[in-house]
Amino acid sequence: LASLPPSLPPPSFPAYSRPLFSLTACSLRGLRGLSGAMMPAGCKEAPRREGERKADSKTVQEFEIDWMLQQRPLEAFSWAQVKKDLQDHKEEVKKVFSSGILKQYAPCLAWPGVVTRWKQFAKFVESKRKKSDSVDLRKTFHDFANSLGRVTSYRALALTDEGFDVIKKKDVIWPTGRILMRGVPAATANQLRAIINLHGVYRIAYARLFISLQMRMIGPWCPSLSLHDDLETALIISGGYATSGKNVHLFELDVPVIETLGFRVIDLHEDKTNPWFEHRGCWFDASLQRTERYLLYEIPFFKQRCRRITVFSRKKDIDDKCQKFVARQKALKSQWQHRRQKTG
């Protein structure tokens, strides 16, 4: 928690350099209690579920809401924290939520998945609430969570048996800040919450994307995680870890959208004119949230949320799996370039 630079530097567009939770090989032996299907060891295809699903009244469960509000209660709301969480638009959001019906619901901005979608939340409140309504912040928070729905997204990790046993036993996927890595002792959950509150949501997400800046921006403990709606994206990022003695585990997870940040990769970059960037031979569109979703704290309720696990023991299997995706992404980038040249 050392002193921080006064402003964010303007780096070039990222070549993903975030190291995944890489602790060598692991088996699926002993995994019980998972909801949905579980893939045997190998590289069989996990079925694709495209996009976000709209909610019904039970989309996000009460225990999930409880967990979120344990990480950062609505009572913790302050404009000083909003200023740190957003960096940009901080004056605009304060103006919008300082008068009228929205003023009563401003405390919901305490949650990272709301404050990073503040325009969407404002429209939701204005369309669903009346001035005569009694103010129930938790219900409004829950209703907004249900309106966002859930998303099927992927995380790929290389794990030892011991590392995978921790996930099963703790029923959670931790960020690297909770894990002993490179001689840096693991932080506690409370310490990671304090780091997020100290630096703000925007800086945490920024430091995750531009990993070379993490140490001087937020210190050695990373309190964030990433998910990718295309399983190939998760695999390509993890591909460097599929070596002898290491298996890459692809987790298909079902999570509430409100647990993810509203930021896209391009929202964290100054140059928004070209959304395309290359990593490990594949082109990615930074303007799409499906390319990378940011989460804070941890991914809880692993056994209930994990629908499928696919295990890759060889990098070649990953490359073969991603071949068509890589070709498709290259074609999409070429189409984008053609349209841009055509329009001048």
Side-chain angles (χ1 to χ4, degrees):
L1 305 182
S3 60
L4 301 169
S7 61
L8 300 178
S12 58
F13 219 38
Y16 275 102
S17 55
R18 160 65 52 186
L20 294 174
F21 180 21
S22 178
L23 302 174
T24 74
C26 172
S27 73
L28 296 177
R29 185 176 60 255
L31 179 61
R32 294 186 176 87
L34 290 180
S35 301
M38 180 180 73
M39 293 294 288
C43 54
K44 296 181 180 179
E45 183 171 1
R48 181 76 53 79
R49 293 177 175 84
E50 296 288 352
E52 297 174 6
R53 301 192 309 279
K54 287 302 179 182
D56 59 29
S57 61
K58 296 183 179 179
T59 294
V60 182
Q61 301 298 315
E62 287 288 347
F63 67 85
E64 293 176 304
I65 297 295
D66 289 340
W67 175 85
M68 294 178 222
L69 299 185
Q70 287 170 4
Q71 310 313 305
R72 193 190 265 190
L74 302 185
E75 294 79 10
F77 167 77
S78 72
W79 286 115
Q81 187 65 56
V82 170
K83 182 178 180 179
K84 288 193 287 186
D85 286 345
L86 286 184
Q87 299 279 323
D88 298 330
H89 308 294
K90 48 187 177 290
E91 298 302 326
E92 183 181 357
V93 66
K94 186 174 182 179
K95 182 178 179 180
V96 169
F97 281 88
S98 292
S99 61
I101 191 172
L102 292 176
K103 182 177 182 179
Q104 303 174 84
Y105 296 95
C108 291
L109 298 174
W111 180 246
V114 176
V115 73
T116 54
R117 296 180 175 90
W118 64 270
K119 291 182 180 179
Q120 193 172 353
F121 179 64
K123 291 179 180 178
F124 173 84
V125 171
E126 290 175 333
S127 65
K128 301 294 184 181
R129 298 293 183 265
K130 300 177 182 178
K131 289 184 178 180
S132 58
D133 292 342
S134 59
V135 178
D136 188 332
L137 293 177
R138 182 190 171 96
K139 185 178 187 307
T140 300
F141 180 82
H142 197 165
D143 289 348
F144 182 61
N146 283 333
S147 76
L148 295 175
R150 304 182 78 95
V151 66
T152 296
S153 202
Y154 297 86
R155 185 160 176 79
L157 302 172
L159 300 167
T160 61
D161 286 332
E162 180 185 8
F164 193 42
D165 285 342
V166 170
I167 291 177
K168 291 184 290 183
K169 182 178 179 180
K170 300 295 185 180
D171 197 24
V172 65
I173 297 177
W174 280 332
T176 55
R178 293 292 307 278
I179 304 162
L180 174 64
M181 294 188 69
R182 303 181 189 89
V184 178
T188 66
N190 284 336
Q191 287 171 328
L192 291 192
R193 293 187 195 108
I195 289 171
I196 293 168
N197 293 340
L198 174 65
H199 298 291
V201 172
Y202 185 93
R203 183 179 286 262
I204 296 296
Y206 193 96
R208 177 170 191 83
L209 184 61
F210 301 102
I211 184 61
S212 62
L213 302 176
Q214 178 186 305
M215 179 63 73
R216 76 182 180 92
M217 288 185 68
I218 65 172
W221 299 282
C222 178
S224 65
L225 309 95
S226 295
L227 291 176
H228 312 276
D229 293 2
D230 293 297
L231 61 89
E232 296 90 346
T233 303
L235 288 174
I236 289 168
I237 293 172
S238 69
Y241 299 94
T243 58
S244 177
K246 292 185 179 182
N247 291 340
V248 170
H249 291 64
L250 177 68
F251 298 107
E252 179 183 295
L253 299 166
D254 174 68
V255 298
V257 173
I258 200 170
E259 281 187 25
T260 70
L261 302 183
F263 294 143
R264 303 163 300 166
V265 173
I266 202 168
D267 295 325
L268 303 170
H269 194 265
E270 291 187 357
D271 180 10
K272 296 177 173 52
T273 59
N274 181 1
W276 289 94
F277 65 98
E278 187 270 348
H279 177 65
R280 290 184 178 165
C282 184
W283 287 97
F284 297 96
D285 187 346
S287 69
L288 301 178
Q289 194 163 54
R290 67 180 304 112
T291 298
E292 183 163 45
R293 294 179 182 271
Y294 303 102
L295 302 89
L296 302 177
Y297 310 108
E298 63 190 25
I299 302 175
F301 316 118
F302 171 75
K303 292 178 182 178
Q304 292 173 268
R305 293 178 170 185
C306 186
R307 293 178 163 188
R308 190 173 297 271
I309 301 172
T310 311
V311 179
F312 296 82
S313 58
R314 300 182 305 168
K315 185 178 183 299
K316 182 181 184 302
D317 295 331
I318 293 177
D319 292 341
D320 290 346
K321 177 71 177 174
C322 298
Q323 185 176 7
K324 291 182 179 179
F325 178 81
V326 171
R328 186 187 77 181
Q329 292 297 105
K330 182 178 180 181
L332 289 172
K333 177 184 180 288
S334 295
Q335 292 169 15
W336 178 87
Q337 286 180 316
H338 179 72
R339 290 193 302 269
R340 190 180 191 187
Q341 291 170 357
K342 194 173 181 179
T343 58

